[in-house]
Every structure is written in C-alpha cells, then in structure tokens.
C-alpha cells in the first residue's frame, strides 16, 4: 500500500482572550485560581461576534501557504471538519475553496464532527491519497463553540476556546500515517448537544428562553449542553480501549510509543487517563493552559506544538486519540521519518 504522510501543519488562534479573571468577575463564587485548578486552563481564544469558523479556517490555511508557497497549487482535495458552519447550505468547504484560490478541479466537502474530528479527517485523507483519488489533501479543522455557550453556563464556558488548524496530507513528508481505530456510540448523543435550532427542534421563542438547571447553570435549548460526568465516564472507558486496539493492530507495545497526544479536553480528565494507561509524564503531551478545549483543533494544535518544541524524537512513534461529541472516538499511529522527497 502507498505510504501517506502529514506534510505540513499550521494553526490559527484568535487574538481575543477570555481569561480566568474575566470569568471570575462573572462568577463571584469562583476565583481565577479555582478555575485553573478545576480545568488546567488560564485563558481561551475567543472570536469576535462577526468572525466565524470559516474565517478561522481561511486564516489557518493562509498561514500554512505563507510557509510553503507551493502547497496552494498542489492541493487537489479539501476537507473541512466543523460543527460551526456559516450556512445550513452550501458546505463551508466549497466557500473556503474559493477564498483560498484553490483550483476548480479540487474536491471539497464538510464533515460534521467534533472532538474526534482530526482522527477521522486523517483517516479519510489517507484513504483518498492511498487510493490515488487525490494527491494532496488539505485537512482543515475550525470551531467556534463560544457562539453556542450561554455566558452564565459555567460548566462549558470555562472549558472551550475557538481555533482552526490546517494540515497537508500527501505521499511525502515527515510523519507517516499508520493504523487507525475508530468507533461510535450514538446512544450517548444527548450527552453533548445543542438540542434546538435545526430540523428536529426548530428555533422558537420557547427554545430561545433561558432555563436554570439543578446545578444553577443557565442556558437555553439553543445553547451547548454537556453532561460532564457522563462524558468523563465515556472517555475513561473508551480511550484505553481504543489505544489498546490501535497498538494491537500496529503490533506495538505501550513502551514503544514515544509520545501520546490526546484530545485536550481538560487537565483533570487528561491526568486521569494518563494514570489509568500508566503513561509516564514525559511521554504524555498536554497543551491547553492558554488554548482551552478547541474541539477538533485541539489535537493538531498540540501536535504542532510538540513538533516545534522537539518533543517528538526522530524515528519516534506517536499515538493520537480523540473522543467526545457523537459520541465518537478514534486513534491513529504516526511515525516520524526523515522523508522530504
């Protein structure tokens, strides 16, 4: 089978910040330090009112093109992973193709997926390149969850940030894409959801009305709802299983993996998963203190930072794992190679 690689990665984070001090002023019962202790996050990038996920996606791609001017002409397939589309239709990927000046022979579509999106996107991109359907895939993640969060909902506002990433997948590069393990449990779809505003429950005055839950969190049915306890239980169940299944498919042992990069959900969950999997701290990468949970972009942002910092050794093996909304999960093995032909 043809080898497929991650060729380039770039990320874009908005300049505007929502800090713990900002949140503490809105929630007097919490201090900035308490928020940090609960989440591992000190600040989150947040878009302005007029900025959309499509805008972030374009900026991430333009940053990538600025580093490698030849990529724009090489791209022949565009995949945009987002749950924050500009329109019900057309797909944001089609608009992004035009904004980026990609040739009209470029395939393009959106995939509606969240915290596991980067893993699924890599799987689709690898398949396209390996099958010869595309030669160079531009995989983009972009999310603006801040637009779905009620300002008085402490359960979600303390966690999520807005960001985008752009990854080039082709037949050459530094990171070879290996095996995948993917899974879905739609029975848990209601545990992380924006219930109203689309076809199943159209927007009405009632769905827009604020409600206060048993914990004192305020939101309407058109805002993001997350059952934190259920999502935590889900993650600690499926993540060890998907990592084990991936390693079995890849014929590697845990101690042969040089670095683990998981979806940057929150510090407590990541610490729990690291301990449950018995991963040494030096082989477990975290990157959320000043980004927060950026949903589909959290893994590529962490991967980019790990590469920049030198945390990925030459000839090293990495395991990436995403999990969350859907409920959905996935993992992939990457291998660092000196292959720049």
């Amino acid at each position: 089978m043809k080898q497929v690689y991650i060729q380039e990665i770039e990320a874009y984070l908005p300049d505007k910040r929502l800090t713990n001090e900002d949140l503490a002023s809105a929630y007097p019962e919490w201090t900035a330090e308490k928020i940090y202790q609960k989440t591992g996050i000190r600040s989150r990038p947040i878009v302005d009112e007029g900025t959309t996920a499509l805008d972030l996606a374009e900026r991430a791609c333009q940053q990538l093109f600025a580093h490698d001017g030849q990529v724009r002409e090489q791209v022949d397939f565009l995949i945009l992973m987002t749950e924050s589309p500009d329109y019900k239709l057309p797909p944001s990927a089609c608009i992004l193709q035009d904004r980026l000046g990609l040739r009209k022979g470029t395939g393009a579509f959106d995939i509606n997926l969240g915290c596991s999106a980067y893993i699924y996107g890599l799987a689709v991109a690898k398949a396209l390149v390996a099958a010869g359907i595309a030669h160079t895939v531009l995989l983009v993640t972009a999310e603006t969850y801040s637009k779905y969060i009620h300002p008085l909902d402490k359960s979600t506002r303390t966690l999520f940030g807005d960001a985008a990433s752009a990854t080039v997948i082709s037949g050459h590069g530094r990171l070879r894409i290996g095996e995948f393990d993917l899974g879905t449990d739609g029975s848990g779809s209601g545990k992380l959801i924006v219930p109203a505003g689309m076809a199943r429950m159209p927007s009405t005055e009632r769905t827009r009305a604020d409600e206060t839950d048993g914990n004192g969190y305020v939101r309407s049915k058109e805002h993001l709802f997350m059952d934190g306890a259920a999502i935590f239980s889900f993650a600690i169940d499926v993540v060890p299983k998907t990592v084990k299944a991936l390693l079995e498919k890849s014929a590697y042992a845990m101690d042969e993996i040089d670095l683990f990069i998981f979806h940057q959900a929150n510090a407590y969950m990541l610490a729990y998963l690291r301990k449950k999997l018995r991963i040494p701290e030096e082989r477990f990468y975290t990157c959320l203190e000043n980004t927060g949970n950026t949903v589909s972009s959290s893994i590529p942002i962490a991967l980019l930072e790990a590469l920049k910092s030198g945390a990925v050794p030459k000839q090293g093996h990495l395991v990436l794992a995403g999990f969350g909304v859907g409920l959905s999960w996935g993992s992939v093995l990457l291998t660092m190679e000196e292959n720049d032909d």
Side-chain angles (χ1 to χ4, degrees):
M1 179 182 292
K2 180 179 180 179
Q3 299 295 342
V4 181
Y5 296 82
I6 291 176
Q7 182 180 327
E8 299 281 351
I9 309 177
E10 189 51 80
Y12 178 82
L13 284 70
D15 292 332
K16 184 179 177 182
R17 289 270 157 184
L18 178 66
T19 67
N20 287 357
E21 287 73 21
D22 297 329
L23 292 167
S25 67
Y27 315 134
E29 67 277 21
W30 283 6
T31 65
E33 187 60 26
K34 181 177 180 179
I35 295 170
Y36 175 70
Q37 293 300 327
K38 288 173 67 70
T39 64
I41 303 164
R42 294 196 185 276
S43 70
R44 309 131 196 87
I46 300 294
V47 294
D48 293 320
E49 184 177 348
T51 303
T52 70
L54 177 57
D55 298 325
L56 299 186
E58 180 183 3
R59 292 167 192 173
C61 293
Q62 296 292 12
Q63 284 187 183
L64 187 146
F65 295 157
H67 291 164
D68 187 343
Q70 295 182 332
V71 170
R72 190 193 306 267
E73 300 303 319
Q74 294 168 350
V75 170
D76 55 2
F77 214 104
L78 170 63
I79 303 172
L80 176 57
M81 317 293 294
T82 187
E83 295 179 309
S84 305
D86 274 28
Y87 307 102
K88 292 181 180 179
L89 55 94
S92 293
C94 294
I95 302 170
L96 184 59
Q97 171 272 331
D98 179 61
R99 283 199 190 181
L100 295 177
L102 301 180
R103 51 199 171 94
K104 293 181 180 179
T106 300
F109 57 69
D110 292 358
I111 297 180
N112 182 335
L113 203 58
C115 308
S116 63
Y118 192 65
I119 309 300
Y120 276 77
L122 287 176
V124 174
K126 178 184 177 181
L128 288 168
V129 175
I133 297 170
H135 296 289
T136 303
V137 177
L138 180 57
L139 172 63
V140 185
T141 65
E143 215 62 78
T144 52
Y145 264 35
S146 65
K147 294 179 181 291
Y148 300 152
I149 296 173
H150 195 287
L152 296 180
D153 186 0
K154 293 183 293 187
S155 66
T156 55
R157 197 175 179 214
T158 55
L159 294 174
F160 292 100
D162 302 329
S165 75
T167 303
V168 178
I169 294 96
S170 70
H172 63 92
R174 293 184 298 164
L175 283 170
R176 176 165 52 84
I177 304 173
E179 297 287 346
F180 288 85
D181 181 73
L182 306 170
T184 308
D185 181 6
S187 69
S189 58
K191 303 301 182 182
L192 187 49
I193 189 172
V194 178
M198 295 293 282
R200 179 60 59 188
M201 190 185 298
S203 179
T204 65
E205 185 176 344
R206 181 180 177 186
T207 64
R208 293 190 293 271
D210 288 351
E211 302 172 348
T212 303
D213 68 14
N215 296 312
Y217 302 145
V218 180
R219 70 181 75 87
S220 76
K221 285 185 168 55
E222 295 187 25
H223 288 107
L224 180 70
F225 165 75
M226 181 174 68
D227 184 335
I231 296 300
F232 180 82
S233 297
F234 155 74
I236 63 173
D237 176 47
V238 302
V239 174
K241 290 177 181 177
T242 190
V243 170
K244 180 181 178 182
L246 176 70
L247 293 178
E248 287 178 354
K249 291 178 183 179
S250 307
Y252 282 103
M254 285 286 291
D255 59 8
E256 292 180 285
I257 303 303
D258 298 281
L259 199 65
F260 293 84
I261 301 177
F262 292 174
H263 165 54
Q264 305 291 291
N266 63 72
Y268 179 78
M269 183 183 291
L270 289 172
Y272 194 100
L273 287 169
R274 183 186 68 78
K275 292 173 183 177
K276 184 168 184 178
L277 283 161
R278 299 180 180 178
I279 301 171
E281 286 190 56
E282 64 272 15
R283 293 197 285 126
F284 191 80
Y285 198 82
T286 57
C287 175
L288 79 165
E289 185 168 324
N290 292 305
T291 60
N293 179 341
T294 53
V295 197
S296 58
S297 295
S298 82
I299 293 175
I301 288 172
L303 177 57
L304 177 61
E305 292 304 313
L307 291 167
K308 286 181 176 179
S309 69
V312 182
K314 291 182 180 180
Q315 310 302 320
H317 302 298
L318 297 83
V319 166
L320 313 184
F323 50 89
V325 63
L327 297 173
S328 173
W329 63 92
S331 56
V332 61
L333 179 78
L334 303 179
T335 299
M336 177 67 91
E337 294 183 358
E338 296 301 321
N339 178 11
D340 296 317
D341 297 333

